[in-house]
Amino acid sequence: MRILGISGTIVGSKTGIAVKQALACIQQHDPDIDTAFLDLKQYDLQFCDGRDPSTYTGDTRKVIDIVSSADCYLIGTPIFQSSIPGVLKNLFDLVPVDALYHKVMGFIATGGTYQHYLVVENQLKPIAGFFRAFVAPSYVYLHDDHFNSEKMIVDQEVLQRIDKLAHEVAFMQKRLKS
């Protein structure tokens, strides 16, 4: 089983830090699970233009293949202007619809206000529903206050919620495969 953590942004580092923390929790609970981290900062993705996903080349093709080959996902996103960043939406537009079918998704979001957690409910869960993916019951929202000046997650309750989410995603995917 391969769990792919995705940092759905090309700016900042807190989202990636939170996703990597969740992947580390998975490895701690079950070292036999294969985890991978996809940082969209590292790729030059083309904008989706509606064509067949198999016709993209270069970094876009690589990312589509990485996402399509994973068994389940921990998707991280910062919240900008009460929405997900365009690069993450573009990724969802690029991936073939059947690539995410009946796979588990867990969501981690970071933001500067305490109200932005609603983006998970109002935007990310409906996107998962479109793909007919299974969504972990928990999700984690991290505010800037949950990090110290070195961008380490210091809030123990948030760390526990990340651990719970990581466990849920792995548990759900294992049960679906059995």
Side-chain angles (χ1 to χ4, degrees), residues 6 8 40 45-56 60-61 63-65 67-68 75 83-100 105 123-124 126-128 130-131:
I6 300 172
L40 293 183
L45 295 182
Q46 296 170 271
F47 281 109
C48 179
D49 58 16
R51 68 181 127 139
D52 185 315
S54 67
T55 64
Y56 287 95
T60 305
R61 175 83 256 142
V63 168
I64 290 170
D65 290 343
V67 172
S68 297
I75 300 171
S83 188
I84 63 174
V87 67
L88 182 58
K89 175 62 171 93
N90 188 51
L91 177 65
F92 286 130
D93 290 341
L94 287 165
V95 174
V97 175
D98 62 349
L100 304 177
M105 290 184 180
Q123 293 179 26
L124 291 170
I127 290 170
F130 168 78
F131 285 108

Side-chain angles (χ1 to χ4, degrees), residues 15-36:
T15 299
I17 290 167
V19 172
K20 286 178 184 177
Q21 177 67 37
L23 293 173
C25 290
I26 289 169
Q27 285 289 287
Q28 182 180 8
H29 288 293
D30 190 344
D32 293 330
I33 295 176
D34 182 25
T35 61

